[in-house]
Amino acid sequence: MVNKFKTVCLTAAIASSSATFAGGLLTNTNQHVAFNRMMSREASIGIDGVYYNPAGVVFMGEGNHLAINWQLAYQTRTIKNDYPLFTNNVNNPTTPRDFKGKAFAPVIPSFQYAYNKGRWSLQGNFALTGGGGKCTFDNGLGSFEKIVGETAMGAIGLAKSIDHAANTILVPGYPQDPTKFKPMFTSDKAFGSKGAYSFNSYMHGRQYYFGLSAGAAYKVSDNFSVYAGLRGIYATCNYYGYVEDIKVGNMPLYQVLDPSKENSANIELSCDQTGIGFTPMLAVDYKTGRWNFSAKYEFKTRMRLKNKSVNKLPSIGNLDDNLKNQMNKLFTGTFMAAGMPQEQAMIKAEQTSNKVLEDPTVVATTAGLKQQFDSKINEALGEYADGKKIAGDIPSLLTVGVGYSPIDELHINVGFHWFDDYNATSHNNRNKLLKKRGTLEFNAGVEYDVNKKITVSTGWQNTNYGLTDKYMDDKSFVVGSNSVGVGGVYHITKKLDFTVAYFHTFYNTVKTSETVTLAPGMSNTYNSEYTRNNNAFAAGVNITF
């Protein structure tokens, strides 16, 4: 029962920090303010093209071009879980229940630079290519509580088997006459018999993927250009969380794991991850009349994150001895109350405890718990084991854009993104739970020059992940969405622009349901609803010198 807790606590951290931005599962595409205000930038010619359309940047004027951008992103994630065992929570006996996480990134900088000379454009870009913030679940996750509730049921199951064996040995007429049953571990002073529980939990995560790219575009002709570049990525992540003060009925769980340590049943995750990867990039741009066409391909980034962890996990190895010690105290008191001398009572108590622990049902129950614990320990440590390297590839990305200007003041863009998430290796090949088609994004945007000083714009983007029910869980979930952005540019001088923007993402709600078998002939349904809410503000300046 305890091993399930470990698995949930350790794997939940990734949910705490997945990207707060637009893009694929591990890719941020809003790396310049222009995206926030227009969404579709793949076919635009501008300094933001260092990321969106690097081949097209060569068509800007000669000289130095620099963009400095700031973004603020705020996101909430809501998971509504409905599970009958939640009603056993003595502090909040309600179901369904909302579990909310808050992600806030107040300062997200990015910089783009290009030096154009003749047919060449030398370019560089610094931005957050993945991750992008911190997320906190103050009360943990529904999967935390689900396992707490199931642990409580497992604890009272063990308590019932021990009490049955003890009563069979000590109580004349039992089990033929069930009314003679005398509770021990199933008493209200111990685990009880209802599966009541309480606990405290918390989860916090931070994930940043810093990207620094360099590349060059070449103008093959007045209408056609090509680009090649390389991005280096440095990932730094931190995860911290705990499940503590677990109590079943009126008995703290630590009393059957290690009564000498009140924290022996607590689970604590503290892990730092770092890694380096490289992304080759190719792009083309073709101009004809009032039309512009572009395409970019980013190869898959092989990432291996190295863990530095100080995790605290409970041990179930001394379960038999601790149960025996608990029973020895109870049996000694019982025998002494019946008039037996203390020394004799202690000897008989130990003999009785041994018989109880030798009962076939008790042996099977405790052996099953230990076997399950041992078989799952590697999985539980898994992604966050100290010193281990974890696969976390960033998927390859194909973008295509088309731009059209019916008049000089009006620019209309449409774009398409394809993220090959299915073939980007993740821990335990979780990526194979996705649909093979990967993530698809479609966008459109329009900008209009009101006059020589002011440009206004708006845009839309649809994101459709290749999700499956097996991929969805509260420890790492995404949902499809529609985003809209608005903003404007103030042209302070011919060489200095100031841009502001805002975009909001409207997320879908995804529902899943699973049947949980607690014991032969006993099952419950665990229902989940997933959604998010996202806002981003941005401002920046573009400078030519």
Side-chain angles (χ1 to χ4, degrees):
M1 55 187 174
V2 180
N3 61 298
K4 291 184 179 179
F5 251 131
K6 287 173 44 177
T7 303
V8 170
C9 183
L10 293 175
T11 57
I14 209 71
S16 311
S17 54
S18 55
T20 60
F21 295 153
L25 298 177
L26 278 176
T27 308
N28 291 338
T29 55
N30 51 333
Q31 297 189 21
H32 187 281
V33 181
F35 174 89
N36 297 52
R37 67 179 176 84
M38 190 177 173
M39 294 296 185
S40 185
R41 298 295 298 176
E42 290 73 28
S44 292
I45 305 297
I47 185 58
D48 62 288
V50 171
Y51 174 72
Y52 300 103
N53 180 21
V57 175
V58 74
F59 292 115
M60 298 177 66
E62 290 196 352
N64 296 277
H65 305 274
L66 174 66
I68 303 172
N69 307 279
W70 161 85
Q71 294 186 60
L72 176 152
Y74 175 76
Q75 184 180 107
T76 59
R77 307 171 193 186
T78 303
I79 310 106
K80 178 180 287 186
N81 295 125
D82 188 8
Y83 196 44
L85 293 187
F86 285 176
T87 59
N88 292 335
N89 185 333
V90 297
N91 294 322
N92 188 2
T94 60
T95 188
R97 188 95 51 76
D98 283 346
F99 295 86
K100 292 187 177 182
K102 296 180 180 179
F104 182 54
V107 179
I108 306 148
S110 65
F111 306 90
Q112 291 81 36
Y113 170 77
Y115 173 68
N116 287 6
K117 183 68 174 178
R119 291 185 174 275
W120 288 93
S121 175
L122 304 180
Q123 304 170 23
N125 178 43
F126 173 80
L128 286 171
T129 60
K134 305 175 182 179
C135 187
T136 300
F137 287 83
D138 289 326
N139 297 309
L141 296 165
S143 55
F144 284 34
E145 183 160 350
K146 174 178 177 289
I147 302 302
V148 174
E150 293 170 2
T151 297
M153 297 301 292
I156 65 170
L158 177 59
K160 287 178 179 178
S161 65
I162 291 175
D163 282 9
H164 172 75
N167 276 265
T168 300
I169 295 170
L170 297 176
V171 180
Y174 182 86
Q176 291 79 11
D177 184 359
T179 62
K180 295 182 179 294
F181 178 83
K182 295 180 180 180
M184 185 171 56
F185 285 109
T186 55
S187 71
D188 290 338
K189 293 181 179 180
F191 287 138
S193 59
K194 299 178 180 178
Y197 63 84
S198 63
F199 72 108
N200 293 312
S201 67
Y202 172 86
M203 179 54 63
H204 174 84
R206 169 182 56 78
Q207 187 182 63
Y208 291 106
Y209 281 52
F210 297 101
L212 179 64
S213 67
Y218 179 71
K219 191 188 300 181
V220 179
S221 69
D222 291 341
N223 301 93
F224 180 66
S225 63
V226 296
Y227 167 89
L230 182 69
R231 178 187 300 124
I233 297 175
Y234 174 71
T236 173
C237 313
N238 171 264
Y239 308 113
Y240 175 76
Y242 59 77
V243 179
E244 62 183 16
D245 301 329
I246 306 164
K247 183 183 288 187
V248 179
N250 285 305
M251 178 177 280
L253 192 59
Y254 78 87
Q255 291 187 4
V256 295
L257 296 183
D258 187 348
S260 66
K261 299 179 181 178
E262 292 189 5
N263 64 351
S264 62
N266 292 350
I267 303 126
E268 183 177 336
L269 165 69
S270 182
C271 176
D272 290 303
Q273 291 182 333
T274 55
I276 296 175
F278 296 93
T279 310
M281 300 172 289
L282 299 173
V284 295
D285 186 273
Y286 179 71
K287 293 167 57 67
T288 176
R290 292 187 174 274
W291 292 87
N292 191 56
F293 303 89
S294 72
K296 181 183 70 167
Y297 184 76
E298 298 185 0
F299 291 82
K300 181 177 74 172
T301 308
R302 184 183 186 276
M303 292 288 292
R304 294 299 179 265
L305 305 174
K306 186 172 183 179
N307 295 341
K308 185 177 181 181
S309 308
V310 183
N311 302 322
K312 297 179 181 179
L313 305 169
S315 172
I316 200 172
N318 295 324
L319 180 61
D320 284 349
D321 290 340
N322 291 325
L323 288 172
K324 182 178 179 179
N325 291 334
Q326 292 279 348
M327 287 189 287
N328 284 347
K329 293 177 183 178
L330 293 170
F331 292 150
T332 298
T334 299
F335 296 145
M336 290 179 64
M340 189 177 294
Q342 182 178 3
E343 185 175 349
Q344 186 177 351
M346 291 176 65
I347 294 174
K348 187 172 182 181
E350 185 163 355
Q351 293 172 344
T352 305
S353 296
N354 288 334
K355 288 182 180 180
V356 170
L357 291 174
E358 292 169 359
D359 178 87
T361 302
V362 176
V363 169
T365 303
T366 54
L369 291 174
K370 290 180 182 179
Q371 183 180 12
Q372 189 181 33
F373 183 91
D374 292 337
S375 66
K376 293 288 186 177
I377 190 168
N378 184 59
E379 178 184 347
L381 290 170
E383 194 168 354
Y384 305 99
D386 185 47
K388 192 170 184 178
K389 288 189 176 181
I390 304 301
D393 292 350
I394 297 175
S396 57
L397 167 64
L398 173 66
T399 71
V400 178
V402 178
Y404 176 64
S405 297
I407 57 175
D408 291 343
E409 295 81 11
L410 181 64
H411 311 281
I412 302 170
N413 285 5
V414 294
F416 168 75
H417 303 160
W418 172 63
F419 301 87
D420 189 14
D421 298 304
Y422 182 81
N423 290 308
T425 306
S426 59
H427 181 62
N428 285 340
N429 288 313
R430 188 167 183 263
N431 52 293
K432 297 303 182 182
L433 299 178
L434 294 163
K435 294 179 181 178
K436 291 185 178 181
R437 68 166 175 80
T439 297
L440 306 178
E441 285 188 329
F442 301 89
N443 60 48
V446 58
E447 64 180 353
Y448 179 71
D449 298 326
V450 178
N451 52 47
K452 292 183 178 181
K453 287 291 185 180
I454 297 175
T455 298
V456 294
S457 60
T458 186
W460 157 87
Q461 178 170 277
N462 173 266
T463 301
N464 190 336
Y465 300 102
L467 301 174
T468 64
D469 288 347
K470 289 183 178 181
Y471 186 87
M472 294 295 293
D473 63 56
D474 61 359
K475 296 176 289 299
S476 180
F477 81 89
V478 292
V479 292
S481 63
N482 285 279
S483 299
V484 293
V486 294
V489 183
Y490 180 62
H491 307 283
I492 300 173
T493 69
K494 291 183 178 180
K495 295 188 176 183
L496 179 62
D497 293 338
F498 174 70
T499 305
V500 293
Y502 164 77
F503 88 76
H504 180 80
T505 302
F506 299 89
Y507 287 93
N508 301 334
T509 297
V510 175
K511 298 181 180 181
T512 64
S513 181
E514 64 173 302
T515 300
V516 181
T517 301
L518 302 175
M522 181 180 178
S523 62
N524 281 324
T525 301
Y526 184 69
N527 297 313
S528 303
E529 292 185 15
Y530 305 91
T531 192
R532 297 187 179 197
N533 184 59
N534 188 70
N535 296 276
F537 301 87
V541 292
N542 297 335
I543 307 168
T544 298
F545 57 96

